[in-house]
């Protein structure tokens, strides 16, 4: 599989799973169908829009192409029609979020590198791509963004983006680097939830 095809698949997958996560949050908040679709689309495309604007790729791909909005809308409809089946998963929003996080961290980093951004900046844009949709989703649903209170969230995206950039630095084939980096980010996020990993916090008030 070529790198271009792999990243096309990853972008579609990331948009869809983030759209699903946004729609499931909307369903739990008892939004109507329109609200579900709005939150699905916002979650699915927000990170990519911010990334493209920071790269100077205007208008963003989500506005130039029909597929990002279509894929995110399809995710919203699937969540609406198959809510019960999705809810049977163990913590579906967290699981979908983890997949989208890993996919967009790597895809965002790659696009930044293609635009000539140095690796540290590309990693930062990868993280922004990964967390942007979730932040907007949580704000629109009147929740505290997960990135502010779930410790291994942005850190998982950071780890995936760094792993991808480092692998390319050592001339690892791009498809192998991307697949490994996505799995690292997703696995780190899921493991942090499973085992309760957290970063140090300041002592609470007396």
């Amino acid at each position: 599989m070529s790198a271009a095809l792999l990243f096309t698949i990853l972008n579609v997958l990331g948009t869809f799973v983030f759209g699903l996560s946004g729609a499931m949050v909307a369903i739990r908040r008892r939004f109507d169908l329109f609200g579900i679709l709005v939150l699905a689309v916002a979650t699915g495309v927000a990170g990519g829009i911010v990334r493209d604007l920071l790269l100077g790729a205007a208008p963003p791909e989500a506005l130039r192409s029909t597929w990002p909005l279509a894929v995110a809308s399809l995710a919203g409809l699937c969540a609406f029609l198959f809510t019960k089946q999705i809810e049977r998963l163990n913590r579906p929003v967290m699981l979908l979020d983890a997949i989208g996080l890993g996919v967009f961290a790597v895809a965002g980093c790659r696009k930044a590198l293609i635009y000539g951004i140095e690796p540290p900046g590309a990693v930062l844009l990868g993280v922004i791509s990964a967390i942007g949709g979730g932040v907007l989703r949580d704000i629109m649903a009147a929740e505290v963004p997960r990135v502010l209170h779930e410790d291994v969230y942005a850190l998982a995206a950071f780890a995936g983006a760094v792993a991808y950039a480092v692998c390319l630095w050592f001339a690892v084939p791009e498809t192998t680097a991307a697949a490994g980096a996505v799995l690292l980010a997703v696995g780190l996020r899921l493991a942090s939830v499973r085992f309760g990993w957290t970063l140090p916090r300041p002592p609470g008030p007396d």
Side-chain angles (χ1 to χ4, degrees):
M1 181 185 297
S2 68
L5 177 58
L6 174 63
F7 277 95
T8 297
I9 294 171
L10 288 178
N11 276 309
V12 172
L13 174 63
T15 301
F16 186 80
V17 295
F18 261 146
L20 274 180
S21 78
M24 292 306 297
V25 169
I27 290 168
R28 291 178 178 181
R29 302 287 289 184
R30 305 299 299 166
F31 288 12
D32 62 15
L33 177 58
F34 180 76
I36 292 169
L37 292 176
V38 167
L39 208 58
V41 170
T43 308
V45 305
I49 288 177
V50 173
R51 175 202 63 209
D52 288 353
L53 291 176
L54 291 174
L55 287 173
E61 185 176 7
L63 302 181
R64 286 186 288 105
S65 304
T66 57
W67 76 261
L69 299 179
V71 169
S73 298
L74 177 61
L77 286 174
C78 288
F80 179 79
L81 294 173
F82 303 108
T83 303
K84 292 182 179 179
Q85 290 84 344
I86 295 172
E87 286 288 7
R88 289 174 186 164
L89 298 172
N90 183 27
R91 302 185 67 174
V93 172
M94 185 279 296
L95 176 61
L96 295 167
D97 225 26
I99 297 171
L101 198 73
V103 167
F104 274 0
V106 175
C109 181
R110 178 184 188 257
K111 187 164 187 177
L113 290 171
I114 289 174
Y115 271 72
I117 305 297
E118 291 296 317
V123 168
L124 177 59
L125 282 175
V127 173
I128 290 172
S129 301
I131 68 174
V135 169
L136 181 59
R137 173 199 65 209
D138 294 343
I139 291 173
M140 292 177 70
E143 298 179 359
V144 177
R146 285 167 172 78
V147 70
L148 299 179
H149 65 92
E150 296 190 10
D151 297 298
V152 187
Y153 187 86
L155 182 61
F158 177 78
V162 168
Y164 175 71
V166 169
C167 285
L168 293 186
W169 180 268
F170 285 101
V172 174
E174 191 171 13
T175 53
T176 302
V182 169
L183 290 175
L184 172 65
V186 175
L188 182 58
R189 173 63 181 147
L190 294 178
S192 72
V193 175
R194 172 66 177 83
F195 298 109
W197 294 343
T198 61
L199 298 178
R201 300 190 181 193
D206 294 333

